Amino acid sequence: MYVASVRPTDRVKGRVPGTVFALGAVSLLTDVSAEMVTAFLPAYLLFTLQMSYAQFGVLDGVYTGATAVLRLVGGHLSDKTQRHKAVAVFGYGLSAVTKLVFPAVGASAFGIGAAMAADRAGKGVRTAPRDALISLSTPPERLGAAFGLHRTMDTAGALLGPLVTFLLMTQIGIVAGPVFAVSACFAFVGVIVLVAFVREHRAAKPAGPAPSFRAGVGLLRDRRYRRVAVAPGLLGLATLSDAFVFILVQKATGIPQGLLPLLPLGTALVFLVAATPMGRLSDRVGSWNVFLGGHVLLLAVYLLLLAPGSGYAGAVVALVLHGLFYACSDGVLSARVSPLVPESLRASGLAVVQTGQALTRTVSSVGFGVLLQFAVFGVAVWTAIVALVLGVGGAWWLTARGEGLKA
């Protein structure tokens, strides 16, 4: 196993580096932009354009899966050039420009799908370089706290985005143009902050093998890394996308459809409060314990969907559990993977794991959309429950055999 090294001057006890705060601000602004779109699309596509669940599932799968292969590309380029910031700027910039394309495609399902794919392609390019910037500037014993803080700031944006969309919709209705225009403004400000305030320290020769696609994929030859890489992909097959979770919560609880754009606020608020504490907890008790525990909480969300008519109370409980799931899984996974990867391949190593997870979540979105279209609601939910139970069991078996979970 590779153990990451950090320069002595970077070790500031009890703190995380300024780079993490700056990247957190970039993610906050970008997530306002992204979550405005995420909150708007279900209502727009399902209720205004009258798309079927199967069509929505395909588009949602595109929205998730478009990031997959480009995560590898972004990770490789940033490792190869040792310009993580420059590659991240390109990714953030691509997503910002795409927000201006959405109003132009109108009601075309193909146009919307292409715009969604381009938007997520930007996310795919930027994610691994951004996480590499965080991990390379942070002492190993503070990785959980650093990623937790970043995800907290990121989630502050995720909290504000749906609120901005809801306020716009209450004033102008389900009209696409103004929503995407405001979303683009936030995205471009995020790019400006990244260019102006994020500093990158590039070592003359980072530790580890020379960066290449072969070296990045070759990390899978290491048993511990391979198990940690495969397990999130396995769980991704049983992880419903946020859009489907919010649609199902609204449908199961019976709360008004007009509140659908506000449901992401509940998840984001809990994530905001819990991300940093869960990151610190993972530093103490083991990141994989926290990661798997988060998926047990997601299982509880699925089970709540089987209690129809639970109203606002059921919706609140489901969103709290959903937010805790993200607090236990998102940044914690990057913190778990980072120490297993040499500095020279940090972005590539993170990208391999993220790519597997994105691809399997794409399969989940498409498959569940078709299932929800042609099966009764209860059968679809029970299928998701059984799949997640098997996924958690398989992930535990992969990572716990012959070694403790505390890592």
Side-chain angles (χ1 to χ4, degrees), residues 248-322:
L248 294 176
V249 167
Q250 183 273 321
K251 186 177 179 67
T253 60
I255 62 176
Q257 285 184 349
L259 295 179
L260 184 58
L262 284 181
L263 295 186
L265 287 174
T267 293
L269 180 60
V270 176
F271 191 5
L272 175 68
V273 172
T276 297
M278 289 300 103
R280 290 173 177 166
L281 179 64
S282 73
D283 285 334
R284 293 197 300 269
V285 305
S287 52
W288 207 248
N289 289 318
V290 175
F291 181 76
L292 289 181
H295 285 80
V296 174
L297 295 174
L298 181 63
L299 179 61
V301 176
Y302 293 179
L303 290 170
L304 282 173
L305 298 175
L306 297 175
S310 56
Y312 290 101
V316 168
V317 173
L319 295 177
V320 168
L321 292 171
H322 195 232

Side-chain angles (χ1 to χ4, degrees), residues 76-157:
H76 169 70
L77 286 177
S78 62
D79 282 338
K80 187 74 173 177
T81 62
Q82 284 300 297
R83 295 182 178 273
H84 304 298
K85 177 180 173 178
V87 177
V89 168
F90 175 80
Y92 280 104
L94 177 60
S95 291
V97 170
T98 303
K99 300 301 190 302
L100 301 176
V101 175
F102 275 101
V105 301
S108 166
F110 176 81
I112 292 172
M116 291 170 70
D119 181 25
R120 293 297 87 182
K123 179 178 175 62
V125 169
R126 71 181 183 247
T127 299
R130 180 205 64 203
D131 283 357
L133 285 169
I134 295 172
S135 67
L136 290 171
S137 65
T138 305
E141 68 274 9
R142 299 291 299 163
L143 281 171
F147 279 106
L149 173 65
H150 174 267
R151 275 17 178 210
T152 295
M153 298 180 71
D154 180 276
T155 308

Side-chain angles (χ1 to χ4, degrees), residues 33-51:
S33 171
E35 293 304 321
M36 283 184 65
V37 175
T38 299
F40 179 71
L41 284 178
Y44 181 59
L45 297 178
L46 291 174
F47 306 138
T48 300
L49 302 186
Q50 296 293 305
M51 286 189 177

Side-chain angles (χ1 to χ4, degrees), residues 33-403:
S33 171
E35 293 304 321
M36 283 184 65
V37 175
T38 299
F40 179 71
L41 284 178
Y44 181 59
L45 297 178
L46 291 174
F47 306 138
T48 300
L49 302 186
Q50 296 293 305
M51 286 189 177
S52 68
Y53 284 123
Q55 289 174 310
F56 182 79
V58 171
L59 284 179
D60 192 60
V62 168
Y63 197 57
T64 302
T67 70
V69 175
L70 286 175
R71 289 176 189 252
L72 292 174
V73 174
H76 169 70
L77 286 177
S78 62
D79 282 338
K80 187 74 173 177
T81 62
Q82 284 300 297
R83 295 182 178 273
H84 304 298
K85 177 180 173 178
V87 177
V89 168
F90 175 80
Y92 280 104
L94 177 60
S95 291
V97 170
T98 303
K99 300 301 190 302
L100 301 176
V101 175
F102 275 101
V105 301
S108 166
F110 176 81
I112 292 172
M116 291 170 70
D119 181 25
R120 293 297 87 182
K123 179 178 175 62
V125 169
R126 71 181 183 247
T127 299
R130 180 205 64 203
D131 283 357
L133 285 169
I134 295 172
S135 67
L136 290 171
S137 65
T138 305
E141 68 274 9
R142 299 291 299 163
L143 281 171
F147 279 106
L149 173 65
H150 174 267
R151 275 17 178 210
T152 295
M153 298 180 71
D154 180 276
T155 308
L159 183 65
L160 293 172
L163 182 58
V164 174
T165 295
F166 178 75
L167 293 175
L168 285 172
M169 288 175 62
T170 58
Q171 297 298 315
I172 62 176
I174 306 177
V175 181
V179 172
F180 290 117
V182 175
S183 172
C185 290
F186 278 104
F188 280 112
V189 173
V191 174
I192 292 170
V193 172
L194 175 59
V195 172
F197 295 104
V198 173
R199 296 182 179 180
E200 179 180 19
H201 177 90
R202 292 196 297 272
K205 186 177 181 181
S212 67
F213 277 114
R214 172 182 253 177
V217 176
L219 291 169
L220 292 168
R221 288 194 294 267
D222 179 84
R223 186 179 63 175
R224 294 193 70 190
Y225 176 84
R226 182 172 63 250
R227 289 176 178 174
V228 170
V230 170
L234 184 63
L235 288 165
L237 289 171
T239 302
L240 302 184
S241 71
D242 291 354
F244 269 127
V245 169
F246 300 140
I247 290 169
L248 294 176
V249 167
Q250 183 273 321
K251 186 177 179 67
T253 60
I255 62 176
Q257 285 184 349
L259 295 179
L260 184 58
L262 284 181
L263 295 186
L265 287 174
T267 293
L269 180 60
V270 176
F271 191 5
L272 175 68
V273 172
T276 297
M278 289 300 103
R280 290 173 177 166
L281 179 64
S282 73
D283 285 334
R284 293 197 300 269
V285 305
S287 52
W288 207 248
N289 289 318
V290 175
F291 181 76
L292 289 181
H295 285 80
V296 174
L297 295 174
L298 181 63
L299 179 61
V301 176
Y302 293 179
L303 290 170
L304 282 173
L305 298 175
L306 297 175
S310 56
Y312 290 101
V316 168
V317 173
L319 295 177
V320 168
L321 292 171
H322 195 232
L324 288 173
F325 155 68
Y326 271 113
C328 292
S329 60
D330 191 359
V332 170
L333 179 59
S334 293
R336 175 69 187 102
V337 174
S338 293
L340 302 177
V341 183
E343 288 183 6
S344 64
L345 296 174
R346 186 62 51 84
S348 298
L350 288 164
V352 168
V353 177
Q354 294 163 355
T355 296
Q357 190 177 50
L359 286 173
T360 55
R361 287 188 175 183
T362 299
V363 173
S364 173
S365 290
V366 175
F368 190 79
V370 172
L371 185 62
L372 197 60
Q373 178 71 29
F374 297 106
V376 297
F377 180 84
V379 171
V381 173
W382 270 112
T383 301
I385 290 171
V386 172
L388 186 54
V389 169
L390 294 175
V392 171
W396 178 86
W397 179 78
L398 274 173
T399 56
R401 283 187 309 158
E403 51 185 297

